[in-house]
Amino acid sequence: MPEELSGATKAAIVLSLIGEEAAAKVLEHLDKKEVRRVTMEIAGIEMIDATRYESVLEEFRQMLEQSRGLELAGPPLARRLLAKACPDDADRIMGEIAPRRRVDDEDGPPPPPPELPEVVVRAPVRRLAMLLADEPPQTVALVLALLPPRKAARLLAMMNREQRIEVTRRMASMNEVRSEVVARVGEVLSQRLDELCDEPLVPLDGIQTAADRLTNLGRANGQEIVEALSEGFPELATQLRDILFTFDMLRGLGDRDAQEVLKQVDRSTLALALKGADPELHAIFFRNMSERAGQMLKEEMEFLGAPKLADIEKAQRTIIDLVLKLEKEGTISLEEQAVVAG
């Protein structure tokens, strides 16, 4: 009759068969004494009869099945059985069982977290943003805490900095929430979503509309607002900047201002930018350069051939940013009418 193996020896056999990475992860969950004992057993293994290995693995498999059965028991299994046996009364019966379980077993697993209605969870981000715009921060924090992480993050990104901080603070401070509160919030949002869906949406080019309004505020005010937007909404700020501040605004450069720009801009950047500009803009720069410098610039422009539009726009944006910077510092001055439309 074969000698009975100790628990440590059986553990050593299993660990020796599951691979080094898996074995190392198992050892992380043991205390120092257990790790020492099991590793000593592993080090002492030389050769064991194949039937012994099979016997240990079979015992291990049976233990796994038993533990799996315990994990599957409880509310999840009860709900599945009720759903099959009496689907119409499953929720009511589980509702009666749940409070009793909490009283009988206060240390048991917590109830599943409350959920928002599916219609709210699946709603487009922009519609949710419209719904939550007038809600108090605590309600917004609750909704974001129950939405999928990516959708919640997109909603946070649409808020201003102060709102994001306040909503995040309240979300992080949550310890528990009453399921009836979630149900009430979900019901209200569902009703408001239905109302929104019934109202036809009128298309509106928000970017162009905002740019038109900022244009009439004047370039300095427009630049200030765009810079403030860039901190929290960089993509939106870039779209507005591209409409508000174009290469054509350089028509407002006087000769002295053009000379100041020429001192600070790289010739290759200017050559690339002028490849996409009209003759009037060419003239502004060429008449403020020496004949030799102008000839070199023309040769560089010819050498470029037909550059990509993206490269031309990048070069123009570099010069536009330089001009805006110089104007803000008071080094140059642009004619306001060059960029402000009636």
Side-chain angles (χ1 to χ4, degrees):
M1 183 176 179
E3 181 184 353
E4 179 68 23
L5 299 177
S6 68
T9 303
K10 293 177 183 178
I13 291 173
V14 172
L15 292 181
S16 67
L17 293 174
I18 63 175
E20 292 182 12
E21 279 192 33
K25 289 181 180 178
V26 172
L27 289 175
E28 288 176 1
H29 296 278
L30 305 181
D31 61 38
K32 291 182 179 180
K33 287 184 179 179
E34 291 171 330
V35 170
R36 184 171 181 274
R37 187 175 175 190
V38 172
T39 51
M40 284 179 64
E41 291 288 344
I42 293 174
I45 294 176
E46 293 181 356
M47 183 176 292
I48 296 181
D49 187 272
T51 56
R52 280 295 182 91
Y53 274 105
E54 292 175 3
S55 173
V56 171
L57 289 176
E58 177 61 23
E59 183 180 349
F60 182 60
R61 184 186 65 79
Q62 291 176 3
M63 290 175 64
L64 283 178
E65 287 186 351
Q66 290 172 4
S67 64
R68 188 179 297 120
L70 290 173
E71 290 170 359
L72 291 176
L77 178 58
R79 184 175 292 279
R80 287 196 299 273
L81 293 175
L82 285 171
K84 292 179 180 178
C86 46
D88 294 337
D89 295 323
D91 289 338
R92 178 181 61 78
I93 296 173
M94 284 302 299
E96 295 172 357
I97 293 173
R100 195 174 305 157
R101 285 189 68 256
R102 284 196 290 273
V103 171
D104 295 341
D105 186 11
E106 293 182 355
D107 296 327
E115 296 180 353
L116 292 169
E118 191 71 11
V119 66
V120 176
V121 174
R122 292 184 174 275
V125 173
R126 290 192 177 277
R127 285 193 181 272
L128 284 177
M130 291 171 62
L131 289 182
L132 298 174
D134 297 325
E135 295 292 339
Q138 188 65 28
T139 301
V140 178
L142 174 61
V143 173
L144 264 60
L146 298 174
L147 285 174
R150 287 189 178 181
K151 179 166 282 189
R154 290 177 63 191
L155 283 166
L156 273 175
M158 296 172 73
M159 302 176 191
N160 62 42
R161 184 174 179 273
E162 289 74 17
Q163 287 175 313
R164 283 202 300 269
I165 293 173
E166 181 61 18
V167 168
T168 302
R169 182 187 70 79
R170 290 176 179 267
M171 200 169 10
S173 301
M174 288 181 182
N175 291 320
E176 55 186 14
V177 60
R178 297 175 65 87
S179 57
E180 54 263 37
V181 172
V182 176
R184 188 162 61 248
V185 170
E187 183 181 355
V188 171
L189 291 178
S190 298
Q191 291 174 353
R192 291 180 60 193
L193 270 173
D194 288 340
E195 294 169 3
L196 273 178
C197 291
D198 290 340
E199 297 176 5
L201 297 178
V202 179
L204 176 68
D205 189 344
I207 295 292
Q208 186 60 56
T209 301
D212 290 342
R213 305 304 183 268
L214 292 179
T215 295
N216 285 280
L217 276 177
R219 187 170 53 252
N221 290 326
Q223 189 175 357
E224 182 181 351
I225 292 173
V226 169
E227 287 177 356
L229 278 173
S230 66
E231 294 180 8
F233 308 93
E235 292 184 10
L236 183 62
T238 297
Q239 289 177 284
L240 285 170
R241 185 182 291 113
D242 289 345
I243 297 175
L244 286 170
F245 311 124
T246 66
F247 202 62
D248 278 347
M249 77 180 190
L250 271 61
R251 297 175 191 274
L253 283 173
D255 288 344
R256 292 182 61 181
D257 294 331
Q259 292 166 20
E260 185 64 37
V261 172
L262 285 169
K263 291 177 185 177
Q264 301 196 39
V265 71
D266 180 71
R267 188 177 67 234
S268 59
T269 300
L270 179 60
L272 188 54
L274 290 178
K275 288 289 286 189
D278 60 39
E280 184 179 342
L281 284 168
H282 287 202
I284 292 174
F285 289 101
F286 278 109
R287 70 169 177 255
N288 287 289
M289 303 171 72
S290 67
E291 184 176 347
R292 181 171 178 276
Q295 185 59 38
M296 292 175 67
L297 180 60
K298 287 180 181 178
E299 290 175 358
E300 186 148 0
M301 290 174 65
E302 291 172 2
F303 178 75
L304 286 171
K308 295 179 181 178
L309 179 60
D311 293 335
I312 293 175
E313 291 176 343
K314 184 178 178 182
Q316 289 182 349
R317 174 54 54 193
T318 298
I319 296 175
I320 291 168
D321 291 343
L322 171 63
V323 168
L324 290 172
K325 174 176 172 290
L326 292 174
E327 184 184 38
K328 188 176 181 180
E329 293 171 349
T331 307
I332 65 172
S333 177
L334 278 172
E335 293 180 15
E336 189 68 48
Q337 62 267 28
V339 293
V340 176

